[in-house]
Amino acid sequence: LEQVSGGQSTGVMAGALQRLSNEAAAAAANQATGQQSYSQAMVNSLTTYTQVLGQPTDASSLPEQLSAFNQALTTLSASPADASLQSGAATAAHSLVSTFNNLSAAVSSGREQADQTIGSDVTTVNQTLDQLAQNEAALQKAAAGGQSTASYADTRDQLLSTLSKYVPVKVDQNGNNGLVVTSDGGTTLYDGTAHH
């Protein structure tokens, strides 16, 4: 605000800080963030799966290994006494078993990695909920003292954005600038208290 004395500008005085936000846009952004994170996790998982399984036309893929084994057995059935056909069938069987073992190891490794990622994500969600609880307490204190709450509201939006990367969230306001955060399935994550 400009201060004027005798028609002359004598300086400026800071006005109250106001925050402009659009809650519908923030909710849509959080939803889009959650969907993008889910899609990226699926792409990562399916890429790993495809790399291990191979494309159907790859010589090392499970369908090709099954086909080669079937063909070797069919050929062997026409001349069961032929040592080279017996050796070929045994080689095809060994390759098929190796493919199954590799797939089993990849599934086990993927499961371990998923468990570690889930553990890490749960830790991040719990830390974010704790930060949200601290921020909300500071926001309530500032509001009660008549101070600006804009920076706390900005921090709240950042924390909710972080949270939406891990859990699809719905955000509702209760009275007195209070916040209720639930998962899209209805599980309460924050209602004045962080629910880990």
Side-chain angles (χ1 to χ4, degrees), residues 125-134 136 163 179 181 188-196:
V125 166
N126 288 338
Q127 289 172 345
T128 303
L129 289 171
D130 289 340
Q131 291 170 354
L132 182 64
Q134 292 170 358
E136 290 303 298
L163 196 58
L179 188 69
V181 181
T188 301
L189 301 172
Y190 177 82
D191 59 0
T193 302
H195 298 279
H196 295 163

Side-chain angles (χ1 to χ4, degrees), residues 91-110:
T91 300
H94 178 67
S95 294
L96 181 59
V97 168
S98 292
T99 299
F100 276 120
N101 286 335
N102 290 342
L103 289 173
S104 177
V107 167
S108 179
S109 173

